[in-house]
Amino acid sequence: MSASVRVRFAPSPTGPLHMGGVRTALYNYLFAKKQNGTFILRIEDTDQTRLVGKAESYIKESLEWCGLQPDESPWKEGEYGPYRQSDRKHLYHQYAEQLIKEDKAYYAFDTTEELDAMREKAKKAKMPNWQYNSVTRNSMKNSLTLSEDEVNAKLDNNEPYTIRLKVPRNEEVRFHDEIRGWVVVNSSNIDDKVIFKGDGMPTYHLANIVDDHLMKITHVIRGEEWLPSAPLHVLLYRFLGWEDTMPTFAHLPLILKPDGNGKLSKRDGDRLGFPVFPLQWKNEETGEVSMGYREQGYFPEAFINTLAFLGWNPGTNQEIFTLSELVEAFSLDRVGKAGAKFDAKKTEWYNQQYLRTKDNKKLAELIEHQLVDSKINIDKERLYSIIELTKERATFPGDILKEAEFFFEAPSTYDEKTVSKKWKENTPELLNKVIERFGDTDYSASELEIAFKAILEDESIGFGKLGPQLRVALTGKGMGPSLFQICELLGKEETEARIKRAIEEIS
């Protein structure tokens, strides 16, 4: 493969972009960049009845947040535009007409009521899965059963119609899928799909094929849900005379719910408490707000790292990848067929790993609004030191202040488990010795640790006889970061005051 590789991500703006859609965009992006190719964003808005306001801008913002910048898009035109199907509608009718002229498609004048009546009739005859196909088309109202004069009269009178593909009966349709191998379907199992609608817009099937051909798409990497439509698309390529330039297909496995079987849905996320959308989404009609990974405190790198492993593996033990490393490692032959169960805890783990690598200044910026809301006014350098000390125990930026709350306010309660297990009759005496020994140091973490170890040696006791008690006195907690760094950041006066207060409150 060479720089001629061209792939597209083609979402429909009918609502928020699901994380499964983002994974499809990611795999397209990785494949294109690995091959020095072109990653295209095409907005497929042929179904005008289902369009949702702001969904298109949501798609754009989501990809930008994830770092998946298209090389060509509605906002970055290339030579194969426009990149919004509604702006390309003048292109499609000629291909539908070409198929009619070559007896590969036909006009269908059946009304919705007539189609519903036919389905109901079939249902009563115990044929519940009625299809408009090579057998039933001959009993319907279309240009195959009507005379040429009748058809022309209906067209001249602007009677509503659709254009359906004339799918041959009992022919083998074959194509090779990069993930699933050879796929073979008998054409008798394919119905005569509508390829052009009465509103003057093509359906997804025709628009998709025409656009992919005109945009010189070389590889179609999309979700498994499109696999049943692929044989129809292969027929369209054949009928339009484009079989020799037909793109290579790769149908990605589903992202499955964490518990049980089935595709991951928004309902699963709501039920189990995690987002399924990259950004927060508000339904303008109902006012319902859906969680987003960005607003929940996830880093885009962690989100992308999670998605990359939902269906693909690098063949090594490496789990943390930058986007450029994913580009280098990615290949379609390491994408599996089986669905991948989503693991929210693993996503949190990824976020934790990335948080630990973040610059303290950057993390300070991310929690600045929390500091303002909490009316915490603190020196920047001291804040950076506190963040460095506490970020190891945080999963999200918002956790840092929770982990560090004892730096800003002395504890008012003390961990009951630590107190009941560790606070002994001689604890006040030992803590007073800590105050005395610490007072003779320069209050640096290293000197404080030396002083503390000297107390342990003098008293012939282990760390567990005094360390937990000192921690609970200073922080109110049973666990946390380095005791001596805590003391250094609190300073001599505050450390002594907290120890004395704990002795008074607990003893």
Side-chain angles (χ1 to χ4, degrees):
M1 284 178 280
S2 66
S4 62
V5 164
R6 290 174 60 81
V7 302
R8 58 28 171 212
F9 174 54
S12 297
T14 55
L17 184 62
H18 187 277
M19 62 191 294
V22 181
R23 187 197 59 175
T24 298
L26 172 63
Y27 283 11
N28 274 277
Y29 177 93
L30 297 177
F31 182 79
K33 296 308 172 186
K34 177 71 175 286
Q35 308 300 333
N36 296 314
T38 303
F39 171 57
I40 299 157
L41 171 66
R42 186 174 72 222
I43 298 296
E44 300 205 333
D45 56 351
T46 55
D47 192 344
Q48 298 285 298
T49 62
R50 296 180 60 229
L51 299 186
V52 173
K54 298 184 179 179
E56 188 178 300
S57 59
Y58 180 93
I59 292 168
K60 179 178 184 286
E61 190 178 352
S62 295
L63 294 183
E64 287 174 350
W65 179 68
C66 293
L68 306 178
Q69 291 285 6
D71 299 302
E72 299 171 21
S73 73
W75 306 278
K76 189 180 179 183
E77 291 279 340
E79 60 180 299
Y80 298 97
Y83 293 86
R84 191 180 285 108
Q85 283 187 336
S86 57
D87 296 332
R88 300 170 63 85
K89 60 183 179 182
H90 60 284
L91 298 171
Y92 306 115
H93 193 261
Q94 61 180 305
Y95 297 104
E97 288 293 333
Q98 174 189 326
L99 291 170
I100 288 176
K101 287 176 184 176
E102 295 176 0
D103 195 30
K104 292 167 182 170
Y106 56 92
Y107 295 106
F109 299 98
D110 317 275
T111 65
T112 301
E113 292 74 19
E114 288 169 336
L115 290 172
D116 287 343
M118 182 58 75
R119 291 189 186 95
E120 191 60 34
K121 184 178 178 182
K123 193 174 179 181
K124 287 178 180 177
K126 300 192 183 302
M127 297 189 315
N129 298 317
W130 181 86
Q131 289 186 323
Y132 205 126
N133 59 21
S134 58
V135 175
T136 61
R137 69 168 77 113
N138 294 321
S139 60
M140 305 302 290
K141 191 165 64 178
N142 53 55
S143 57
L144 301 176
T145 59
L146 300 172
S147 70
E148 186 176 347
D149 288 342
E150 288 176 306
V151 171
N152 289 333
K154 288 181 179 295
L155 293 175
D156 290 341
N157 291 331
N158 293 318
E159 286 194 28
Y161 69 87
T162 60
I163 298 176
R164 288 181 179 270
L165 194 67
K166 189 179 179 184
V167 177
R169 186 177 185 184
N170 199 28
E171 282 190 19
E172 195 176 77
V173 182
R174 297 168 57 88
F175 69 94
H176 187 269
D177 186 283
E178 288 294 289
I179 295 169
R180 296 159 198 282
W182 282 101
V183 177
V184 183
V185 176
N186 189 287
S187 64
S188 298
N189 296 314
I190 306 171
D191 60 330
D192 290 359
K193 291 288 186 191
V194 173
I195 59 172
F196 208 85
K197 296 177 289 186
D199 62 2
M201 288 291 281
T203 62
Y204 168 83
H205 303 293
L206 179 64
N208 167 318
I209 300 308
V210 170
D211 286 342
D212 283 351
H213 175 74
L214 296 181
M215 290 182 171
K216 299 190 184 300
I217 300 302
T218 61
H219 295 75
V220 170
I221 303 169
R222 60 189 179 186
E224 180 182 308
E225 61 270 24
W226 290 111
L227 188 58
S229 299
L232 176 73
H233 298 166
V234 171
L235 283 176
L236 273 165
Y237 277 109
R238 184 197 302 173
F239 291 172
L240 288 165
W242 300 336
E243 198 167 13
D244 290 345
T245 58
M246 185 173 72
T248 299
F249 290 103
H251 289 88
L252 307 175
L254 294 174
I255 298 178
L256 305 176
K257 59 182 70 178
D259 54 341
N261 299 316
K263 185 178 177 181
L264 177 68
S265 69
K266 176 184 175 297
R267 190 178 295 108
D268 297 313
D270 291 342
R271 176 172 56 86
L272 298 171
F274 60 81
V276 297
F277 303 132
L279 314 181
Q280 182 175 284
W281 171 261
K282 182 177 181 180
N283 185 316
E284 296 295 338
E285 290 185 6
T286 65
E288 179 189 7
V289 176
S290 300
M291 294 182 288
Y293 278 89
R294 181 179 65 181
E295 290 74 17
Q296 292 294 111
Y298 286 88
F299 297 107
E301 305 97 312
F303 181 56
I304 287 298
N305 219 146
T306 297
L307 292 182
F309 275 77
L310 290 173
W312 169 85
N313 76 81
T316 68
N317 292 326
Q318 183 178 347
E319 292 189 275
I320 306 295
F321 284 81
T322 63
L323 191 55
S324 59
E325 286 173 334
L326 283 172
V327 167
E328 187 62 30
F330 185 78
S331 64
L332 285 173
D333 60 7
R334 297 207 68 85
V335 176
K337 300 177 190 177
K341 280 190 180 291
F342 177 68
D343 184 347
K345 290 298 179 186
K346 188 67 174 184
T347 315
E348 290 182 5
W349 178 84
Y350 274 118
N351 211 62
Q352 189 177 54
Q353 306 313 302
Y354 279 101
L355 186 147
R356 291 173 180 177
T357 67
K358 294 293 179 185
D359 178 76
N360 294 329
K361 184 177 180 182
K362 174 64 178 174
L363 290 173
E365 291 171 0
L366 293 175
I367 64 172
E368 188 172 3
H369 67 284
Q370 287 180 285
L371 293 168
V372 172
D373 292 345
S374 301
K375 296 182 172 55
I376 296 173
N377 187 15
I378 184 173
D379 172 75
K380 292 291 184 188
E381 292 303 321
R382 184 165 184 263
L383 177 60
Y384 300 156
S385 297
I386 290 172
I387 290 173
E388 178 63 31
L389 196 57
T390 55
K391 67 182 182 182
E392 288 290 315
R393 300 178 63 82
T395 299
F396 305 102
D399 296 338
I400 291 173
L401 277 190
K402 186 177 180 183
E403 290 293 331
E405 61 185 352
F406 58 83
F407 280 113
F408 310 111
E409 187 176 350
S412 56
T413 59
Y414 302 94
D415 182 68
E416 290 183 8
K417 188 175 179 182
T418 303
V419 170
S420 63
K421 280 190 171 186
K422 298 292 184 179
W423 198 276
K424 305 299 181 184
E425 191 175 330
N426 66 337
T427 297
E429 179 187 347
L430 292 172
L431 287 175
N432 278 316
K433 289 184 179 180
V434 168
I435 293 174
E436 183 181 343
R437 285 290 185 96
F438 280 14
D440 293 333
T441 71
D442 62 3
Y443 249 76
S444 67
S446 57
E447 289 298 315
L448 291 169
E449 185 173 5
I450 291 170
F452 188 81
K453 286 179 177 178
I455 297 173
L456 299 184
E457 190 173 338
D458 289 349
E459 300 296 324
S460 299
I461 56 175
F463 182 89
K465 297 294 184 181
L466 184 55
Q469 296 87 329
L470 175 58
R471 181 182 299 282
V472 81
L474 297 175
T475 70
K477 300 181 178 183
M479 298 178 67
S482 165
L483 260 179
F484 311 110
Q485 288 178 302
I486 290 173
C487 293
E488 180 181 329
L489 283 168
L490 288 175
K492 180 173 184 278
E493 185 177 330
E494 183 64 19
T495 298
E496 290 183 0
R498 291 191 182 192
I499 293 173
K500 289 175 181 176
R501 182 181 174 185
I503 291 172
E504 185 178 322
E505 293 281 333
I506 299 173
S507 298

